[in-house]
Every structure is written in structure tokens, then in C-alpha cells.
Amino acid sequence: MSEAVLRLAGLEKRYNPGRPNEVKVLEGADLSVAPGEVVALVAPSGAGKSTLLHIAGLLDTPDGGTVEIAGHDMTGAGDRARTATRRGAVGFVYQFHHLLPEFSAAENVILPQLAHGVSAGAAADRAAALLASVGMTARAGHRPAELSGGEQQRVAFCRAVANGPQLLLADEPTGNLDPTTSDTVFDALMGLVRETGMAALIATHNPALAARMDRIVRLEGGRLVAG
Ligand code: ADP
């Protein structure tokens, strides 16, 4: 059996603990995602998808349970180790894209590679290939403010996978794309997953998209159940 890229066990998370406005979000959530597997995370708004993705991506810590990424148990790891694992092994596509406004689409995909030690030429080639795979070649020189929300989302996807992460986490990655563009981005994502053996956990409200993934898990009552 191949080692899971992401393993979450017994995750607990509550906000405002012990206060009248306490919210129990995760109550024993378990999930394993294998290399090359794309898992859809489906739940109503407010159920805790973003919370779960942030914990899985080491942007937040659970109150209980364990998070293992690429075989490394991150429970109790210090900030430095968490940051190193996040930068080295995890790609994140957020609902809001957080692209760097003063740089072009291509530069937004090139910069994280340079920070990772990739040469300028190789980084530019990879950025061009990734942007082409999501139909963004003609917009590669545009800054984020000159791009539509859907175009920014496509750039954000290219940036997230630029360094070949073992784990891709995405929060509604095709939420503001029209159906045709959504299919293009999804096809590019599936192609990359199959090619690289990356594992992906993708929150979506779109049932048709969820149905195209390898497996669906639902977040219900703070736990993950097969969909
Ligand atoms: P989803 O992504 O499924 O919409 P979230 O993970 O964003 O859900 O939120 C889960 C629940 O936790 C919601 O009820 C939300 O209001 C609450 N919540 C999220 N973040 C905080 C916070 N920082 N403080 C208090 N409550 C929060």
C-alpha cells in the first residue's frame, strides 16, 4: 500500500471554546488521501470546509487529532517545520486568489519557483506551459487587476502547482468560472494529478464536478463520511 500524502485523524476544532457562542466545527474528522487521488470535499456553507482545508494545509492548528503530510506527523511541530512542509509539499488555491498585484500572471507563477531555487529560464518555461494548459497564454503578461475573477483563479491554480507540490488543497477552485472554463481548469488539474501523482483535496459546491473526482467525502456533524 502506498503511503497516504495526507492523513487526518480524529481532528477536533472549535471556535470560542467554553463561551456561549462556541462553535464545534470538527468533531473527530478522519481522512486519508493517496498519491494520484482527487477527493471532493462537499458540505453546506458553514459546515467547516475552509477550517478543514486550513488545518490540512498547516495554516491553522486543530484542538485535537493529528495531521500527517507526506509521512511527516505535523502534530506539535514548530512554526519553522510547519512552514517548511507547507512551502515544500503543499499547494493551495484559495477562494480569494491573493495574487501579487504588481506582477504579471506569468511572474506570479514564476516567483514561487525562483524562491524554490529553480533557474529563471526553467521557471519561465514551466509558467508558460502551465498557463497554456488553462488557456491563459494570451493573458500571461497581464497584471491581476487586468484579469477577470475566473482568469485570476486560473493563474492562482498555476501558481499553486508551480513547484510540483505533493498535496494540492483547493477551496472552491472553479466557483466563479463559467462551465466551459471550469471544465478546462478541472481537466488541467486532473491531467497534472495523473502525471505527477499529486494528491488533491478539493472543496466544491458543484455536484457535477464532484462526481468527476475519484471519491467524494461529506463533512457532516464535524466528521467526514463517504459521499
Ligand atoms: P465553510 O468553509 O464550510 O463555509 P468554515 O470552515 O468557514 O465553513 O466555518 C465553519 C464554521 O465555523 C462556521 O459556522 C463559521 O461561522 C465558524 N467560524 C469560522 N471561522 C471562525 C472564527 N475565526 N471564529 C469563530 N467562528 C468561526
Side-chain angles (χ1 to χ4, degrees):
M1 197 190 88
S2 59
E3 183 87 33
V5 177
L6 174 66
R7 183 171 282 131
L8 307 175
L11 288 187
E12 308 274 342
K13 183 72 178 181
R14 59 185 64 184
Y15 293 108
N16 307 318
R19 307 236 294 271
N21 57 351
E22 175 176 286
V23 187
K24 288 183 181 170
V25 183
L26 302 177
E27 297 186 80
D30 300 311
L31 177 69
S32 284
V33 187
E37 187 180 36
V38 181
V39 176
L41 174 62
V42 177
S45 181
K49 297 183 297 298
S50 302
T51 300
L52 184 89
L53 288 171
H54 284 127
I55 291 173
L58 307 176
L59 294 165
D60 196 0
T61 48
D63 300 321
T66 56
V67 178
E68 224 180 272
I69 294 178
H72 299 287
D73 184 354
M74 302 311 293
T75 319
D79 281 350
R80 187 177 287 216
R82 292 167 62 81
T83 302
T85 299
R86 189 170 62 240
R87 292 210 180 124
V90 184
F92 219 121
V93 185
Y94 302 91
Q95 258 176 39
F96 304 100
H97 325 296
H98 306 299
L99 295 172
L100 299 171
E102 66 274 33
F103 292 99
S104 70
E107 287 164 341
N108 267 277
V109 185
I110 289 170
L111 287 169
Q113 299 180 72
L114 299 182
H116 208 63
V118 178
S119 74
D125 288 349
R126 177 152 172 85
L130 285 169
L131 288 166
S133 75
V134 294
M136 283 292 290
T137 300
R139 295 282 182 279
H142 292 227
R143 290 182 184 193
E146 301 159 352
L147 300 172
S148 71
E151 288 170 340
Q152 290 179 41
Q153 186 70 307
R154 284 185 267 170
V155 178
F157 165 72
C158 294
R159 179 190 52 185
V161 299
N163 284 325
Q166 286 165 279
L167 175 64
L168 179 70
L169 301 169
D171 204 350
E172 290 288 343
T174 58
N176 50 8
L177 302 180
D178 63 81
T180 308
T181 310
S182 166
D183 277 350
T184 306
V185 173
F186 188 73
D187 289 346
L189 189 154
M190 290 304 266
L192 269 170
V193 167
R194 301 297 183 230
E195 187 185 306
T196 62
M198 183 165 69
L201 178 61
I202 300 174
T204 181
H205 278 118
N206 182 336
L209 209 62
R212 291 180 57 195
M213 301 188 205
D214 297 321
R215 186 154 64 90
I216 298 176
V217 294
R218 291 179 197 285
L219 188 49
E220 278 179 16
R223 289 165 172 263
L224 291 165
V225 297

